[in-house]
């Protein structure tokens, strides 16, 4: 699931990385034992940061045989916005991108949050299992509040980790691909599952984090690539739009190109983007460009990005010609997610004595 970055201690990350390596081995041996839950908020166009950060990993897990659920988290748009602007447009664009990158609706369930009411009913018992103090201490909540567009903190924003727990646990997801910043959120989910099972009976798994090894991609302004910062290269952008965006990207005054993320973040961000698109080492890419300067670097990046995205763009254009099919993908996914949610809710009602 996608959240704003928050600080995580080394002592937290090291065991999580060790566990992730073990999980990768188990996935290779028996992918059918795992159900992945992940998704995105429809607040704008998906971009290259999303692709290299999470999207291509979803396709990898799907192709390995893992049962994948992808949520278009339309309700969660309201956590930090007063209204959900252009929601339908963003959702359809997201669907097109999912299909274009290779997500297969026959093997991956794509659904939207608001279409699964049984999922949201889980919020009530889950909220009773988490204290206000725990939510107040959650570093990701603190960071999201700090970056909020709202003048006051809503109850929805404050309880965001519990909402996310419902997203994960409604389908009994036991594996969640996350970045390091999302570990505090997932720990809330694990606590909710454990406390529910202890209080009422065994219903939910305690999901594991599958830590992403994806590097941070910088946007064209030298900061983290983000939908809200207008510094990203959308997956649905044309080749000409991509070239224009990269031409306007920041570099520095040193003509000799090197890959040094700590001292030359803007230049290194472009080098890394080219390397990822070419499936090469960024140091090798930088060495090849050498004294070619920023202009050569930008041409290299533009060619690499456009070559990488060309087949996705072609598939996206094909799918865009049949929006009836694209909408049917979401409708079918909603039906499956509803069936799963209703079954989980029925089990919850049974162990709770029918109080929901």
């Amino acid at each position: 699931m996608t959240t704003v970055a928050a600080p995580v201690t080394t002592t937290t990350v090291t065991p999580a990385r060790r566990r992730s390596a073990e999980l990768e081995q188990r996935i290779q041996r028996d992918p059918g034992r795992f159900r992945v839950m992940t998704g995105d908020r429809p607040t704008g166009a998906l971009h290259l940061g999303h692709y290299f950060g999470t999207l291509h990993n979803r396709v990898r897990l799907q192709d390995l045989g893992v049962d994948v659920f992808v949520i278009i988290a339309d309700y969660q748009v309201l956590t930090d916005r007063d209204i959900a602007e252009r929601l339908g447009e963003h959702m359809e664009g997201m669907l097109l991108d999912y299909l274009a990158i290779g997500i297969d609706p026959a093997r991956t369930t794509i659904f939207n949050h608001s279409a699964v009411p049984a999922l949201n009913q889980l919020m009530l018992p889950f909220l009773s299992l988490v204290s206000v103090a725990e939510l107040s201490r959650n570093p990701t909540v603190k960071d999201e509040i700090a970056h909020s567009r709202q003048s006051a903190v809503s109850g929805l924003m404050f309880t965001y980790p519990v909402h996310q727990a419902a997203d994960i646990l409604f389908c009994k997801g036991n594996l969640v691909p996350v970045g390091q910043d999302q570990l505090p959120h997932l720990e809330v989910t694990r606590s909710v599952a454990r406390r529910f099972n202890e209080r009422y009976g065994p219903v939910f798994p305690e999901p594991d984090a599958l830590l992403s090894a994806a590097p941070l991609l910088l946007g064209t302004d030298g900061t983290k690539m983000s939908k809200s910062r207008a510094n990203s290269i959308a997956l649905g952008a044309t080749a000409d739009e991509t070239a224009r965006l990269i031409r306007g990207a920041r570099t520095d005054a040193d003509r000799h190109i090197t890959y040094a993320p700590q001292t030359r973040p803007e230049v290194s961000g472009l080098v890394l983007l080219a390397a990822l698109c070419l499936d090469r080492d960024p140091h090798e890419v930088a060495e090849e460009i050498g004294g070619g300067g920023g202009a050569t670097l930008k041409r290299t990046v533009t060619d690499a990005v456009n070559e990488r995205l060309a087949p996705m763009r072609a598939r996206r254009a094909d799918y865009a010609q049949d929006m009836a099919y694209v909408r049917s993908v979401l409708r079918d996914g909603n039906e499956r997610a509803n069936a799963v949610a209703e079954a989980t809710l029925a089990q919850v009602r049974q162990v709770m004595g029918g109080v929901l």
Side-chain angles (χ1 to χ4, degrees):
M1 306 288 287
T2 303
T3 64
V4 181
V8 179
T9 64
T10 303
T11 55
T12 303
V13 173
T14 302
R17 288 210 175 280
R18 190 181 308 116
R19 177 63 174 162
S20 288
E22 295 170 358
L23 287 166
E24 285 287 0
Q25 295 177 354
R26 290 174 58 193
I27 291 168
Q28 295 291 333
R29 291 195 300 268
D30 190 5
R33 292 181 58 186
F34 296 94
R35 173 171 284 178
V36 160
M37 178 64 209
T38 185
D40 307 281
R41 294 198 303 165
T43 55
L46 295 177
H47 52 68
L48 283 169
H50 294 118
Y51 178 74
F52 287 111
T54 61
L55 297 177
H56 81 296
N57 193 41
R58 297 175 194 176
V59 177
R60 178 185 75 90
L61 292 168
Q62 164 197 275
D63 292 346
L64 284 172
V66 174
D67 188 14
V68 179
F69 276 65
V70 176
I71 185 171
I72 299 177
D74 50 352
Y75 272 175
Q76 290 181 6
V77 172
L78 299 176
T79 55
D80 61 353
R81 294 158 197 252
D82 294 326
I83 58 173
E85 297 176 316
R86 300 166 60 194
L87 184 61
E89 175 189 337
H90 291 325
M91 287 177 61
E92 289 191 349
M94 199 166 279
L95 282 166
L96 287 170
D97 287 334
Y98 287 162
L99 296 171
I101 66 168
I103 290 180
D104 180 0
R107 294 178 290 166
T108 292
T109 301
I110 305 171
F111 67 101
N112 63 296
H113 206 160
S114 60
V116 188
L119 183 164
N120 295 295
Q121 284 185 264
L122 294 174
M123 278 282 286
L124 287 174
F126 286 0
L127 282 169
S128 73
L129 300 168
V130 180
S131 71
V132 171
E134 286 176 302
L135 293 174
S136 299
R137 290 194 301 266
N138 186 287
T140 317
V141 170
K142 289 181 180 179
D143 204 62
E144 286 181 354
I145 289 172
H147 288 83
S148 172
R149 298 183 180 185
Q150 295 177 323
S151 58
V153 177
S154 70
L156 184 60
M157 179 180 290
F158 193 68
T159 60
Y160 184 41
V162 183
H163 209 163
Q164 198 166 68
D167 295 342
I168 296 167
L169 296 176
F170 95 94
C171 65
K172 300 186 180 180
N174 59 3
L175 193 64
V176 185
V178 295
Q180 294 179 10
D181 58 295
Q182 295 169 290
L183 288 175
H185 266 346
L186 189 59
E187 195 53 43
V188 172
T189 301
R190 289 174 56 83
S191 296
V192 166
R194 182 171 59 254
R195 292 169 188 174
F196 186 95
N197 294 341
E198 290 171 351
R199 182 176 297 183
Y200 299 110
V203 173
F204 297 109
E206 293 183 35
D208 277 303
L210 188 66
L211 277 182
S212 169
L216 175 67
L217 264 185
L218 298 184
T220 53
D221 61 354
T223 66
K224 180 183 177 182
M225 192 175 289
S226 168
K227 288 181 285 189
S228 62
R229 296 178 183 174
N231 67 353
S232 59
I233 300 170
L235 297 181
T238 66
D240 288 342
E241 288 170 340
T242 299
R244 176 179 57 79
L245 289 166
I246 293 172
R247 278 198 304 272
R250 291 181 183 175
T251 54
D252 60 32
D254 187 345
R255 181 174 177 79
H256 189 82
I257 302 303
T258 59
Y259 182 65
Q262 298 302 317
T263 57
R264 305 184 70 187
E266 295 93 347
V267 166
S268 298
L270 289 171
V271 171
L272 177 60
L273 180 54
L276 288 170
C277 288
L278 296 168
D279 292 318
R280 296 184 59 194
D281 182 270
H283 295 280
E284 294 177 0
V285 173
E287 187 176 352
E288 281 188 9
I289 298 171
T296 301
L297 171 60
K298 291 179 181 182
R299 281 197 301 271
T300 300
V301 176
T302 299
D303 291 344
V305 170
N306 281 333
E307 182 178 352
R308 182 68 176 245
L309 291 183
M312 300 180 208
R313 288 169 174 158
R315 289 192 294 268
R316 195 182 198 277
D318 288 342
Y319 283 119
Q321 296 299 310
D322 189 2
M323 290 306 296
Y325 167 73
V326 173
R327 295 182 186 108
S328 76
V329 167
L330 186 60
R331 184 171 61 250
D332 293 346
N334 286 341
E335 288 180 4
R336 184 179 180 214
N338 268 293
V340 171
E342 289 288 354
T344 300
L345 188 60
Q347 191 176 5
V348 167
R349 283 175 175 147
Q350 182 180 19
V351 299
M352 292 183 66
V355 296
L356 278 184

